[in-house]
């Protein structure tokens, strides 16, 4: 005969079921409970979901203004005959010549936005500055300043400058400036047709005007020497456009 103690060990009496206890199948995610006792979704359910209340990093509000655009580029800046010291002196000479020429003709240099390009500079002038100043007086005064620099420096440090003129809408952001008008200006100053024109001449300054700038500014100004410009076709990367080129020599060769 089996004792009561042994019998209970073989066939335990089941405990009463807790009506508040929830039973889940093995292997399924278990809900978590918040501090107020309410069931919440599994943490994995939130993975990969974009927060709708967070600021959109791709949201952009353009800050756009109209500017006169000048791109300057030094001819043959990186040629092998020029060492680092030569290049620094050339850069100083370019900046000195441009600043003095701008100020002399009434273009406030220090109020212009400037971005260095290593072998040149991008200059943005306010819309309040008369565009005629860039084609009437600036070319001759700038050539005078470049000639003064060249007279006091050896051949490896002499400057011949390419200058592109355009105007249009410019976008500002925390990194600098951009816009199709700026891209177009650099396509002009880098055009092969401008390089060839300067290389094949004795000029100190080669100016290339966009078609818009020529039609709206150059040809309407009596002091611009508009007849000294010749029409050219520019094909540079994705840009195919008409432009106008003027070569300006130093006074002693006029």
């Amino acid at each position: 005969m089996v004792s009561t103690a042994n019998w209970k060990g073989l066939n335990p009496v089941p405990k009463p079921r807790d009506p508040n206890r929830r039973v889940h199948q093995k292997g399924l995610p278990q809900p978590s409970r918040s501090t107020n006792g309410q069931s919440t979704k599994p943490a994995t359910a939130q993975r990969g979901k974009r927060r709708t209340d967070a600021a959109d990093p791709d949201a952009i509000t353009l800050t756009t203004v109209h500017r006169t655009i000048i791109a300057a580029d030094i001819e043959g800046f990186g040629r092998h005959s020029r060492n680092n010291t030569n290049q620094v002196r050339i850069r100083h000479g370019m900046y000195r010549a441009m600043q003095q020429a701008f100020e002399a003709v009434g273009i406030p240099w220090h109020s212009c936005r400037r971005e260095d390009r290593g072998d040149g500079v991008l200059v943005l002038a306010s819309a309040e500055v008369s565009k005629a100043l860039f084609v009437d007086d600036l070319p001759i005064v700038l050539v005078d300043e470049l000639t003064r620099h060249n007279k006091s420096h050896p051949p490896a440090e002499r400057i011949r400058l390419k200058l592109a003129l355009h105007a249009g809408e410019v976008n500002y952001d925390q990194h600098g400036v951009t816009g199709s008008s700026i891209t177009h200006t650099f396509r002009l100053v880098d055009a092969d047709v401008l390089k060839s024109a300067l290389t094949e001449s004795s000029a100190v300054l080669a100016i290339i005007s966009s078609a818009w700038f020529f039609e709206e500014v150059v040809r309407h100004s009596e002091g611009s020497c508009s007849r000294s410009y010749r029409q050219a076709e520019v094909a540079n990367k994705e840009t195919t456009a008409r432009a106008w080129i003027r070569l300006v020599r130093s006074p002693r060769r006029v």
Side-chain angles (χ1 to χ4, degrees):
M1 183 175 182
V2 179
S3 66
T4 304
N6 292 337
W7 176 260
K8 289 181 179 180
L10 293 175
N11 297 286
V13 178
K15 294 182 180 180
R17 184 177 179 273
D18 183 354
N20 294 323
R21 182 183 177 189
R22 300 180 63 182
V23 179
H24 303 280
Q25 296 181 16
K26 185 176 180 181
L28 296 180
Q30 302 300 313
S32 59
R33 290 188 178 275
S34 63
T35 53
N36 61 6
Q38 299 297 320
S39 176
T40 62
K41 293 181 180 180
T44 55
Q46 297 292 335
R47 192 172 299 166
K49 184 178 180 181
R50 182 175 181 177
R51 291 178 59 87
T52 57
D53 58 340
D56 188 349
D58 292 325
I60 295 175
T61 301
L62 293 179
T63 302
T64 307
V65 294
H66 182 86
R67 291 289 183 261
T68 300
I69 307 167
I70 306 95
D73 182 78
I74 299 166
E75 182 202 37
F77 181 79
R79 67 171 60 116
H80 192 263
S81 60
R82 289 172 166 167
N83 59 33
N84 290 342
T85 303
N86 297 145
Q87 291 179 348
V88 171
R89 288 201 181 105
I90 290 170
R91 281 167 50 82
H92 287 179
M94 179 198 69
Y95 274 105
R96 186 185 305 111
M98 291 189 68
Q99 179 177 347
Q100 292 180 355
F102 271 52
E103 296 289 353
V105 303
I107 303 171
W109 176 258
H110 291 291
S111 67
C112 294
R113 168 84 180 229
R114 302 180 303 278
E115 290 193 359
D116 183 73
R117 299 287 168 151
D119 59 352
V121 62
L122 169 68
V123 182
L124 303 178
S126 170
E128 285 72 30
V129 178
S130 172
K131 291 178 174 61
L133 294 174
F134 295 93
V135 294
D136 287 0
D137 302 321
L138 183 63
I140 298 302
V141 178
L142 181 54
V143 165
D144 287 343
E145 295 297 334
L146 292 173
T147 300
R148 183 175 294 109
H149 168 89
N150 291 344
K151 285 181 177 179
S152 61
H153 288 78
E157 295 175 1
R158 291 173 187 167
I159 303 171
R160 296 213 301 169
L161 200 64
K162 296 179 296 175
L163 201 72
L165 298 174
H166 188 39
E169 301 302 290
V170 174
N171 301 309
Y172 286 74
D173 63 16
Q174 65 270 32
H175 306 294
V177 293
T178 188
S180 59
S181 57
I182 291 179
T183 301
H184 186 70
T185 307
F186 278 106
R187 296 294 181 264
L188 295 180
V189 81
D190 289 334
D192 288 338
V193 66
L194 182 63
K195 295 177 184 177
S196 297
L198 184 57
T199 299
E200 297 168 3
S201 76
S202 59
V204 177
L205 177 66
I207 300 172
I208 185 167
S209 167
S210 69
W212 183 95
F213 205 88
F214 184 87
E215 289 296 328
E216 297 297 328
V217 181
V218 177
R219 78 180 188 90
H220 297 291
S221 179
E222 293 182 349
S224 68
C225 300
S226 60
R227 292 186 178 181
S228 65
Y229 286 79
R230 66 175 180 84
Q231 186 173 310
E233 297 297 325
V234 172
N236 186 8
K237 296 184 179 180
E238 72 283 351
T239 298
T240 302
R242 179 174 299 172
W244 295 83
I245 294 175
R246 178 188 177 189
L247 301 174
V248 188
R249 293 169 175 80
S250 63
R252 68 178 180 273
R253 294 184 178 176
V254 175

